[in-house]
Amino acid sequence: MPGFELFGPEERKEVNDVLETGIMMRYGFDGPRKGIWKSKELEAEICRKFNAGYTQLVSSGTAALTTALTALGVGAGDEVIMPTFTFVASFEAVLSVGALPVLADVDETLTLNPESVRQAITPRTKCIMPVHMCGGMADLDPLMEICKEYDLLLLEDACQSIGASYKGRYLGTVGNAGTFSFDFVKTVTCAEGGAILTNQKDIYAKCDGFSDHGHDHLGVDRGADLHPFIGCNFRISELHAAVGLAQFRKLDQFLDIQQRNHRQLQSILSGLEEVSFRRLPDPSGDSHTFLSWFLPTEEITWAVVAELKQQGILGGNFYWFDHNWHYIRKWDHLRKADTLNNLSDLQKQALRDLSNAAFPASDSIMGRCISTQIGLLWTEEQTKERGEKIAAIVRKVSSRTSSYSAS
Ligand SMILES: *Cc1c(COP(=O)(O)O)cnc(C)c1O
């Protein structure tokens, strides 16, 4: 998955273009920058590739979520429905705009279960935020149906699934807005960076202004810009955008390699009757950054994970259920509302509710799931070896557990 595995002369060339002029800021300095506009160029390429109306680059995926929520008008006291399995950025962004995170279960897609979303709706609900985890896609049709029925906004977090699609449309372009992350371990990296995609001009204009202190970018120079609303600074630098530009041009190459390695690994694990795979609402749209697979029980999964660790091959195989960043089970700081400053009373109440909530349906999915990250540098031989080692461990653990239950 990570684009940093294929960093090379293309990235260095783009960065050098910026270093030649020394203009590292994305706005202004029209003369001295000598026609070098890396951020604008990357935004245009993202729009073209994904058939998106507008793209705004920002400093991170978290900043992209915060900017998108703000531009969509999500704020104090609004509820945002998000999944139990995601990255901490989801609730960080929701809380930072004064809104309330409401968690709904995931299903075998590893993304929001639309039925669970329906049950989480209240009169305060303003936005549904599906997270397209691990290179795959949420089931967007039923979620859009719910949005229509209850007049809600849809914000797609596609930070982990750039290049994936749903029924012919690229992820991030289906909802009212969508986000990408270009942090160091994502499919396309800028070192640090993010983007908001939208087809609505007004939402784009708000993202553009908000991420740069409210500048309307309509003045003859920065000093002449007006400030129609209050913003902040989530700007990306030209150096980061330059890296991203070279990386983004390699996206098809990354996706091809991932597909090839994923296919090979999946065909090895398919031979195991104990193993089933993540359900993809549109299998043809997978970006193949991970192969996510299920074992029959949580007990067997813990045993497989222990064995992977013992054999020194746990790295690259993620047991999200026991991971500090990605699943509700380990988000003690969220449940205890450990913030540095004061939250609103409504936010405090929402986190109290969350600390008392149980998610047995999500636990029964995530407790049995392992995601194997697909490397860009694996040779056919290495992929085979990796798959066979995992398969041997699954067989070993399964025979042990079945002999237990037989005795
Ligand atoms: C990485 C990630 C983010 C945040 O991106 P950063 O650029 O690291 O801030 C948000 N959501 C998901 C699902 C992610 O994986």
Side-chain angles (χ1 to χ4, degrees):
M1 156 166 139
F4 73 73
E5 291 179 287
L6 287 171
F7 185 94
E10 303 83 2
E11 285 78 3
R12 280 192 285 276
K13 189 254 166 208
E14 297 298 325
V15 173
N16 273 328
D17 286 350
V18 177
L19 294 176
E20 288 296 326
T21 67
I23 305 301
M24 295 176 282
M25 170 135 173
R26 66 157 303 176
Y27 297 112
F29 302 92
D30 294 22
R33 71 188 314 133
K34 301 189 177 128
I36 305 285
W37 299 91
K38 298 299 179 190
S39 306
K40 279 188 201 298
E41 216 177 324
L42 178 51
E43 286 167 348
E45 292 205 11
I46 291 172
C47 284
R48 206 172 319 130
K49 169 104 187 132
F50 297 140
N51 199 19
Y54 306 91
T55 298
Q56 177 67 39
L57 287 179
V58 288
S59 53
S60 72
T62 311
L65 288 169
T66 306
T67 302
L69 286 167
T70 305
L72 292 170
V74 177
D78 295 328
E79 289 179 355
V80 179
I81 298 177
M82 55 165 270
T84 52
F85 173 50
T86 173
F87 180 56
V88 291
S90 301
F91 59 76
E92 288 170 351
V94 170
L95 289 172
S96 76
V97 300
L100 318 174
V102 172
L103 272 62
D105 279 313
V106 295
D107 56 22
E108 288 85 355
T109 64
L110 304 183
T111 67
L112 279 177
N113 176 338
E115 234 2 86
S116 177
V117 169
R118 233 172 232 288
Q119 284 161 19
I121 290 173
T122 76
R124 285 190 194 281
T125 309
K126 179 108 178 218
C127 178
I128 299 177
M129 188 163 71
V131 185
H132 303 297
M133 288 300 280
C134 305
M137 71 296 294
D139 205 354
L140 289 172
D141 278 346
L143 294 176
M144 285 192 290
E145 198 53 50
I146 296 170
C147 286
K148 208 185 289 171
E149 197 177 322
Y150 292 91
D151 195 20
L152 305 174
L153 297 159
L154 187 76
L155 171 57
E156 292 174 79
D157 180 341
C159 287
Q160 292 196 5
S161 292
I162 190 166
S165 60
Y166 180 81
K167 301 186 180 176
R169 295 161 81 184
Y170 282 102
L171 300 188
T173 68
V174 179
N176 298 88
T179 60
F180 293 144
S181 164
F182 302 123
D183 79 23
F184 193 58
V185 295
K186 294 302 203 284
T187 306
V188 166
T189 185
C190 290
E192 299 286 356
I196 306 113
L197 280 68
T198 180
N199 291 312
Q200 296 172 237
K201 191 173 184 184
D202 59 326
I203 299 300
Y204 161 70
K206 288 173 185 171
C207 291
D208 175 53
F210 180 76
S211 58
D212 184 23
H213 302 296
H215 279 261
D216 66 359
H217 300 133
L218 298 174
V220 287
D221 58 39
R222 279 182 75 71
D225 283 347
L226 298 178
H227 302 92
F229 47 78
I230 296 172
C232 68
N233 179 6
F234 286 146
R235 287 190 309 261
I236 194 166
S237 83
E238 283 287 275
L239 291 172
H240 291 86
V243 174
L245 191 57
Q247 283 265 304
F248 189 69
R249 289 172 180 156
K250 298 179 184 176
L251 177 61
D252 285 337
Q253 184 196 349
F254 296 167
L255 295 176
D256 284 349
I257 297 171
Q258 284 173 179
Q259 182 172 37
R260 189 189 67 212
N261 293 346
H262 185 281
R263 200 171 272 164
Q264 193 189 351
L265 190 67
Q266 184 163 23
S267 83
I268 296 169
L269 298 192
S270 300
L272 299 162
E273 61 176 298
E274 298 86 354
V275 169
S276 60
F277 296 98
R278 172 212 196 144
R279 181 167 69 78
L280 289 158
D282 177 1
S284 68
D286 192 5
S287 66
H288 304 103
T289 57
F290 286 88
L291 176 65
S292 296
W293 43 288
F294 298 106
L295 288 155
T297 65
E298 187 187 319
E299 187 196 357
I300 293 176
T301 313
W302 280 109
V304 166
V305 169
E307 193 69 31
L308 286 165
K309 194 182 259 173
Q310 199 180 348
Q311 295 194 18
I313 52 170
L314 187 60
N317 293 292
F318 293 90
Y319 188 34
W320 307 116
F321 191 60
D322 195 35
H323 196 284
N324 286 349
W325 291 345
H326 288 283
Y327 187 57
I328 173 78
R329 187 170 161 266
K330 291 280 186 114
W331 292 339
D332 290 342
H333 62 320
L334 176 67
R335 283 202 279 220
K336 289 191 285 186
D338 284 334
T339 55
L340 294 178
N341 54 7
N342 203 9
L343 293 175
S344 72
D345 289 343
L346 280 172
Q347 288 182 313
K348 284 180 193 161
Q349 183 57 48
L351 298 189
R352 262 197 302 276
D353 292 348
L354 192 59
S355 71
N356 297 318
F359 296 93
S362 296
D363 288 345
S364 78
I365 299 288
M366 299 313 298
R368 298 184 296 109
C369 177
I370 295 174
S371 293
T372 303
Q373 189 170 28
I374 304 298
L376 293 175
L377 298 175
W378 296 353
T379 63
E380 199 178 324
E381 192 51 44
Q382 287 168 332
T383 309
K384 180 162 175 268
E385 195 187 1
R386 194 174 291 261
E388 285 175 351
K389 272 189 184 161
I390 295 172
I393 288 172
V394 171
R395 281 198 200 94
K396 179 175 163 188
V397 169
S398 305
S399 67
R400 205 165 62 201
T401 38
S402 57
S403 61
Y404 283 152
S405 45
S407 60

